[in-house]
Amino acid sequence: TVDLPAEFVLEDNQIKMDKWWEHGSNHATTSVKSARPLIPRIQTDFLQVLDKYQLLFEELDDLDSHLWILEPSLPARRCSIERRIALWEGGASMVIVLDPERPRGVPVLVRFMGVTLATMKAAASVAGKVANSNEKDVIDWRVSFARFASDEAQLDSTSNKQSDENNSGRANHICMNNGRWSEGRSVRENLELWFGSSLPSPHTTEKSDYLVECGICYAHRLPAEDNAADSSESSEGPLPEEKCSNPSCNRHYHESCLFEWLHSLPTARVSFDRIFGSCPYCCESVSVKILNG
């Protein structure tokens, strides 16, 4: 069996997948033998779909083999087009979802997790981009990635309005543009170009350097909630995304764990929809959104 990133639809609209055995004959009581000529047609359509997604599979394989993939657990199913990629020690990572129709295009979803000012300062200092660790010179990764990816989308939009000849010239220009996202490069190459250096790799580092655990329950991921079992896809519990702002502490917490901790403190205070209190480790002020129930 093969997992696909999208629903498999036959090119022949007259064939119904739920009653494929009834095709190939005018009688509803078609035997298996008389239905067999139809199977090669289904197989041909399926192989064409596999060929269509081959570039997507190659991009996913390239990410999985060269970068630290924190989620999902590898080897992942082919239908999974989401990857959480380690960026920096201490839990900084980014989640990307590839476009099955344009695997080398800008991901359809990008989300940064565990990224703090201290993380970005440390990365900038190592890269030599910030003199004396000046906070004013640190560029937010979310902003820089948006700029890195936006021009690619604008160039594609412009090229679609031009003639075929001009489109070819525009495509060559995109491939040669070393400062923007380009479909002439792999997804990994684009990410490393944006980041300014090679991303953490299983060939040179340990995965434990990038996985963080909650400072209260000491787990990486909480179990999925009971009501999540009703969903068609397997669900996973939350990650420790809350973080102490003290650079000397940098402890991570699950939202629910931190809420329970702060809720138990007699000195905690509530303002609007957040509860404030002290970090369990460094006593600096931390806050979290109030959870219902």
Side-chain angles (χ1 to χ4, degrees):
T1 59
V2 177
D3 295 316
L4 295 176
E7 182 182 358
F8 172 54
V9 180
L10 284 168
E11 294 293 333
D12 191 343
N13 296 327
Q14 296 180 352
I15 302 176
K16 305 301 180 182
M17 283 299 293
D18 56 343
K19 294 184 178 181
W20 61 267
W21 58 85
E22 295 183 359
H23 296 272
S25 173
N26 294 328
H27 303 285
T29 58
T30 303
S31 65
V32 174
K33 289 185 178 180
S34 62
R36 281 179 180 174
L38 182 63
I39 295 179
R41 294 164 56 190
I42 298 177
Q43 183 184 29
T44 299
D45 278 1
F46 191 77
L47 291 176
Q48 290 176 349
V49 173
L50 286 181
D51 289 339
K52 172 184 176 182
Y53 292 121
Q54 192 57 45
L55 181 57
L56 172 66
F57 297 152
E58 292 175 358
E59 289 297 315
L60 292 172
D61 288 342
D62 182 60
L63 293 173
D64 295 346
S65 60
H66 290 90
L67 305 181
W68 268 128
I69 305 300
L70 305 182
E71 306 281 344
S73 299
L74 300 180
R77 298 175 60 185
R78 287 299 194 186
C79 60
S80 176
I81 56 177
E82 177 179 313
R83 294 292 187 272
R84 185 161 77 95
I85 301 170
L87 296 179
W88 201 258
E89 295 180 1
S93 61
M94 68 184 304
V95 177
I96 63 171
V97 177
L98 301 188
D99 184 350
E101 303 300 324
R102 294 178 56 203
R104 287 194 165 189
V106 177
V108 296
L109 181 146
V110 177
R111 179 188 177 197
F112 290 89
M113 302 176 65
V115 176
T116 64
L117 179 59
T119 301
M120 293 184 289
K121 283 177 59 180
S125 297
V126 171
K129 296 180 179 180
V130 177
N132 300 323
S133 299
N134 190 345
E135 294 185 8
K136 296 181 180 180
D137 296 331
V138 177
I139 300 177
D140 190 291
W141 287 354
R142 301 166 184 83
V143 175
S144 66
F145 185 85
R147 292 174 180 172
F148 180 79
S150 62
D151 280 12
E152 187 269 352
Q154 293 174 5
L155 288 173
D156 280 354
S157 176
T158 303
S159 64
N160 288 336
K161 299 177 182 180
Q162 298 176 346
S163 64
D164 291 341
E165 182 179 354
N166 290 336
N167 279 340
S168 177
R170 174 64 71 178
N172 291 333
H173 172 70
I174 295 175
C175 292
M176 295 302 294
N177 189 348
N178 293 327
R180 295 290 182 262
W181 189 288
S182 168
E183 293 190 35
R185 293 185 290 265
S186 68
V187 174
R188 175 176 59 86
E189 290 170 339
N190 276 302
L191 292 177
E192 292 183 333
L193 177 62
W194 157 74
F195 195 68
S197 64
S198 298
L199 292 173
S201 167
H203 304 297
T204 56
T205 58
E206 297 293 332
K207 190 174 184 179
S208 58
D209 295 336
Y210 308 100
L211 283 175
V212 295
E213 62 182 21
C214 175
I216 295 175
C217 73
Y218 302 109
H220 171 60
R221 183 185 286 277
L222 291 178
E225 297 180 0
D226 294 337
N227 56 10
D230 298 334
S231 61
S232 57
E233 299 181 359
S234 59
S235 299
E236 295 180 309
L239 295 166
E241 298 185 39
E242 300 296 327
K243 188 175 182 180
C244 177
S245 59
N246 181 0
S248 300
C249 178
N250 277 340
R251 293 280 182 170
H252 290 74
Y253 306 101
H254 295 115
E255 185 180 39
S256 58
C257 293
L258 185 57
F259 172 74
E260 292 296 334
W261 164 263
L262 296 179
H263 191 260
S264 67
L265 297 179
T267 57
R269 58 186 179 86
V270 175
S271 177
F272 295 99
D273 63 341
R274 299 188 70 84
I275 183 170
F276 295 78
S278 58
C279 172
Y281 289 86
C282 70
C283 296
E284 287 287 331
S285 177
V286 292
S287 69
V288 70
K289 185 176 180 181
I290 296 176
L291 303 180
N292 295 328

